[in-house]
Amino acid sequence: MTSTLGPDYHVIVTASPRHVRKGAAPSIRDVAAAAGVSHQTVSRVLNDSPRVRPDTRAAVLAAIERLGFRPNRAARTLGLGRASGVTVVTSNTMLYGYAATLQGIEEAARTEGVALGIRVVESAEVEQTVDYVSDPSAGGLVVIAFDPLGTAVAEALPPHIPAVLATEPVAPDLGRVAIALDERRAAADATQHLLDLGHRTVHHVAIPSEGRAGGRHEGWRDALRRAGAEIPSMLAGGWDLESAYAAGERLARSPDVTAILCGNDDIAQGVRRALYDAGKDVPGDVSIVGFDDIPGSAFWTPALTTVRMDFAGLGRACFHAALAELGGHPQPAISLVPPRLIVRESTAPPRPA
C-alpha cells in the first residue's frame, strides 16, 4: 500500500468477475461489477452507510453472498473509523500558491510518517470528489479552497467528514477549521506603497479566484478608499499569460495608468511584456507590483516588487489541523510568517507630467 488514494488502500483488485484468477478470492471490484454499482457503493454498504438506497444495498449484499466475498482485516479496520492518512483536494497542482501549499503539506506528512493522497477536482467532478473523500480510506481532509471550485467541494462535504480548509481571509464561514494568510492586509500594504510613491491611483489586474470578494481585491480597494483615491474598474485576468498580456495592452493605451497591482507574479509577467511591447518603461512610465514572490521574480528585468506569501507554512498548518480534526484533538497553535512586501526595482515615483 503506497497511497491513501489508490484502490489498493480500499483492498480492491482491479479485476472483474470474468477475469478473476483461478483460486483468487473475489474483491470489492468483483462485487461491484456483479451488483452493477461502483466500488465506492460497495464500500459504503460494508461500512453500513445510510447513504445507500435499500434496493442497492440488497443487490450488493446478494452479490457478496453469491461470490462468497469476505472483507479482509484492512477493510474491517476501515469499518471501525477513518484511516489515519490525509487526503488533499485541490483544483490545481501547477500554480505557485497551490503547489507551494501542497509542498508544505507533503513536508509535514513526511515528517510525521503519515500517508498522503491528492485528489484533483475539475469543474464537473464536485459530486464525485465529495463521494470519493467521504469513504473512510480518505482519512482527514485538507481542501485547498483558493477558488470557487475548491469552495464548492468544501460546501458539499457532509458535516461528519473531518476537514480543514486552506482559504482566503474573506471566504464565507462554512463552520469548519479554516486557515488563511492575510492577503487582504498584504494587498492593502502593496497598494499603499504605490500611493506613497506619489501615484494618484493604482489599477488592479485580478486573479480569477478573487472575483469581487477575494482578499487581494478587497485589500486593494481598502487602501484606495482610505486614501480617498479614485478606485478604477478592476480588470479580471485569467490564470494564463495571454489574458494577463491582454489586460496589460488595455492598460498601456491609457496615459493615466502609472501603477498596477497584479493578482500574482505570473499576471505581472504578462502585463510587463504588454507594457514593454507598447513602449512603456517599467518603472519609469508604469510601476508594477506582483503577488506571491515566485522563484525567479528577483531576477526579472527589472526585479519585481511583490508580496512574499508563506504558502508552505500554510500547508504545514493545515496538515496538523487536519490530523487534530481526524483524531478529535484540540487544534494546535498556528504560527505563520505574515505576508511581506518585498520592494525591488519595478516600482518608483511617477515621472513629472
Side-chain angles (χ1 to χ4, degrees):
M1 250 178 275
T2 59
S3 170
T4 58
L5 289 180
D8 288 345
Y9 199 96
H10 292 278
V11 199
I12 293 168
V13 178
T14 54
S16 69
R18 293 190 300 269
H19 297 92
V20 176
R21 296 187 308 275
K22 183 177 180 180
S27 70
I28 290 180
R29 286 198 183 273
D30 298 335
V31 174
V37 299
S38 68
H39 64 270
Q40 291 95 337
T41 297
V42 177
S43 179
R44 284 194 290 272
V45 171
L46 292 172
N47 290 308
D48 200 26
S49 169
R51 298 178 58 201
V52 182
R53 295 196 309 268
D55 57 334
T56 302
R57 185 183 303 277
V60 170
L61 292 175
I64 288 174
E65 182 66 24
R66 186 166 65 254
L67 295 175
F69 171 77
R70 293 294 179 268
N72 65 15
R73 179 175 57 83
R76 289 196 296 272
T77 300
L78 289 177
L80 299 176
R82 295 185 70 83
S84 60
V86 170
T87 297
V88 182
V89 177
T90 180
S91 65
N92 194 291
T93 59
M94 300 296 291
L95 292 168
Y96 178 72
Y98 296 78
T101 302
L102 280 171
Q103 178 184 349
I105 297 171
E106 192 278 331
E107 289 173 352
R110 181 157 29 92
T111 299
E112 296 294 330
V114 173
L116 182 70
I118 300 174
R119 174 79 177 194
V120 179
V121 57
E122 297 182 356
S123 57
E125 296 180 346
V126 171
E127 184 177 349
Q128 296 94 317
T129 297
V130 171
D131 184 62
Y132 187 95
V133 299
S134 295
D135 191 277
S137 66
L141 303 182
V142 175
V143 181
I144 299 181
F146 292 161
D147 51 51
L149 194 52
T151 301
V153 172
E155 290 174 337
L157 287 175
H160 69 278
I161 301 298
V164 171
L165 313 181
T167 185
E168 293 184 324
V170 295
D173 184 2
L174 299 180
R176 294 187 178 275
V177 175
I179 305 176
L181 298 170
D182 193 0
E183 55 188 35
R184 181 171 185 167
R185 173 66 180 273
D189 289 346
T191 304
Q192 188 61 51
H193 167 68
L194 291 165
L195 294 173
D196 290 344
L197 288 172
H199 297 278
R200 291 186 302 171
T201 190
V202 178
H203 290 73
H204 182 40
V205 183
I207 54 177
S209 60
E210 294 183 38
R212 293 194 61 82
R216 303 179 188 193
H217 173 257
E218 289 301 304
W220 165 72
R221 291 179 61 88
D222 290 344
L224 293 179
R225 193 181 298 113
R226 284 196 300 266
E230 174 195 355
I231 302 178
S233 298
M234 178 193 74
L235 276 70
W239 291 121
D240 57 293
L241 290 173
E242 288 79 5
S243 62
Y245 183 90
E249 283 186 312
R250 179 176 170 184
L251 291 171
R253 288 195 289 267
S254 174
D256 296 330
V257 174
T258 64
I260 304 171
L261 173 65
C262 298
N264 65 20
D265 291 349
D266 290 330
I267 288 178
Q269 184 179 10
V271 169
R272 169 70 182 92
R273 180 67 198 196
L275 293 172
Y276 174 83
D277 289 347
K280 297 277 188 177
D281 178 65
V282 176
D285 297 313
V286 183
S287 289
I288 296 178
V289 176
F291 226 99
D292 295 346
D293 193 25
I294 65 174
S297 60
F299 297 92
W300 293 10
T301 303
L304 182 66
T305 295
T306 184
V307 175
R308 182 171 295 165
M309 302 281 282
D310 186 20
F311 287 115
L314 175 64
R316 290 189 291 269
C318 287
F319 172 82
H320 290 296
L323 282 189
E325 285 289 286
L326 181 63
H329 305 306
Q331 282 295 316
I334 297 174
S335 178
L336 297 174
V337 177
R340 182 163 67 95
L341 180 66
I342 308 298
V343 179
R344 298 190 180 115
E345 300 166 352
S346 67
T347 52
R351 284 177 175 166

